[in-house]
Amino acid sequence: MGWRAASVAALAGGLVLAACAPTPPGGPAPRRATLAAVVDSVTNSPPLDRTHWGIEVYDPVSRRTLLALNPERHFIPASNMKLVVTAVALAELGPDYRYRTELAARRAPGDSVAELLVVVGRGDPTWSERFHDHPWAPADSLADSVALAGIRRVRGELVVDASYFDRELVHPTWEVGDLDYGYAAPVAAFAVEEGTFRTEVVPGPAVGEPARVTALAPPGAVVILNRLVTDTAGARRRIEVSRRVGSDTLTLSGSVPLDAAPDTLVIEVTGPSEKIDSLITLVRPYGIKEIARTGCVALERGSGAVAVRAEDAVA
């Protein structure tokens, strides 16, 4: 947890303690501390008095600011900014808002052969194991919809249309060293498992032997170069993840102690072509015999690469 998150937690804890302080038996009722006094007692208490604070409390009912402490000072946003983004999304979209990932097929009426199969992503963040039995469950449902629509062969392309978002998958100010890890996953209109995948790392059978690395993802979704070796029992675990900029080939290097328990790493992944390969793998169990995969992926906002008509809708 970063120092900013720790500061917020400390402030929240201070507010709770101030609100819940018991009244001494037989004594006079304590005066209720003002919000400004509570905040001041937290922000000026060591070691938090060395922290830069920026606080603004606004009451939308009375439309007035209840407290302001350096409200105009610039700070580097931390991970707790997602609380602000989530609050704005709930206010603007409402709690009943639903994301739609459309699947469309271009074919003649009643024909079991489709000329084109299009998946239109709209930024649904729930394509993950947090919300389903496994991360590819929503895609599995889309594949089932293709079969239920009577399609048995796709003669043309399978297209993932991610043009609802722009091409900036990661913010340019993010540090390069963070980009390989799950907390720096790309923001895309079509993302599975929150733009990440997991790998299981298990030590080898003996010291000096390669460790075993298993990608917990559909076949072909990621490419991993395993350079991990098994170290002596009790040694320190050292795992480094690296990748060339623009490449989706990951290199895992370092060492794993012989007595280490199986461990799981969450790693960022971006490649759109691998997503298409994984979708093709998913539709085959439903009797889809062929997809002519040509690598057509629409990524740029407003590119017009794919025009999906209402009559083409499958799911």
Side-chain angles (χ1 to χ4, degrees):
M1 180 170 62
W3 62 267
R4 297 179 187 83
S7 300
V8 171
L11 175 59
L15 294 173
V16 171
L17 291 174
C20 301
T23 301
R31 284 191 311 172
R32 185 177 181 180
T34 64
L35 178 60
V38 173
V39 171
D40 184 70
S41 68
V42 173
T43 58
N44 289 298
S45 298
L48 299 178
D49 57 339
R50 300 194 300 270
T51 299
H52 296 290
W53 292 89
I55 302 172
E56 184 169 20
V57 181
Y58 178 77
D59 183 0
V61 176
S62 63
R63 296 185 177 181
R64 64 189 184 94
T65 300
L66 304 181
L67 176 73
L69 176 63
N70 299 323
E72 301 298 328
R73 177 175 289 183
H74 291 179
F75 294 89
I76 299 175
S79 60
N80 53 18
M81 285 298 294
K82 58 178 161 288
L83 301 177
V84 178
V85 175
T86 302
V88 171
L90 281 172
E92 293 296 319
L93 303 176
D96 296 325
Y97 179 81
R98 295 294 181 268
Y99 292 89
R100 287 185 57 84
T101 301
E102 296 182 356
L103 177 64
R106 184 153 299 164
R107 58 173 175 160
D111 197 345
S112 64
V113 179
E115 300 295 334
L116 179 68
L117 194 62
V118 184
V119 180
V120 183
R122 295 256 163 70
D124 189 345
T126 67
W127 278 47
S128 74
E129 207 166 17
R130 295 177 193 266
F131 303 92
H132 303 278
D133 293 336
H134 59 89
W136 284 88
D140 197 46
S141 298
L142 289 180
D144 186 33
S145 299
V146 175
L148 290 175
I151 298 174
R152 292 295 176 266
R153 179 174 281 103
V154 180
R155 188 157 45 205
E157 299 168 338
L158 170 61
V159 176
V160 175
D161 183 354
S163 60
Y164 196 67
F165 289 4
D166 57 30
R167 296 181 65 92
E168 191 173 64
L169 299 178
V170 298
H171 197 277
T173 63
W174 290 5
E175 296 184 9
V176 174
D178 290 336
L179 298 183
D180 295 328
Y181 296 94
Y183 51 78
V187 179
F190 182 77
V192 178
E193 191 69 332
E194 301 166 7
T196 68
F197 73 97
R198 290 176 296 161
T199 59
E200 184 181 64
V201 178
V202 179
V207 175
E209 293 290 323
R212 188 171 74 248
V213 177
T214 304
L216 306 179
V222 293
V223 178
I224 299 178
L225 299 180
N226 177 21
R227 295 178 181 169
L228 288 170
V229 297
T230 305
D231 204 346
T232 56
R236 183 181 177 184
R237 170 184 173 273
R238 298 182 302 104
I239 299 179
E240 294 183 4
V241 181
S242 60
R243 163 195 359 229
R244 291 200 321 269
V245 177
S247 169
D248 271 309
T249 298
L250 295 164
T251 301
L252 269 60
S253 58
S255 60
V256 180
L258 181 62
D259 57 348
D263 195 9
T264 301
L265 300 176
V266 179
I267 303 174
E268 179 256 14
V269 66
T270 58
S273 60
E274 288 80 3
K275 296 171 185 174
I276 291 181
D277 291 331
S278 299
L279 283 173
I280 291 174
T281 301
L282 285 173
V283 300
R284 284 174 180 150
Y286 292 96
I288 313 301
K289 298 178 181 178
E290 175 188 357
I291 292 182
R293 154 80 159 82
T294 64
C296 181
V297 182
L299 281 176
E300 189 170 356
R301 182 192 297 271
S303 63
V306 179
V308 179
R309 305 172 301 184
E311 59 266 29
D312 296 330
V314 173

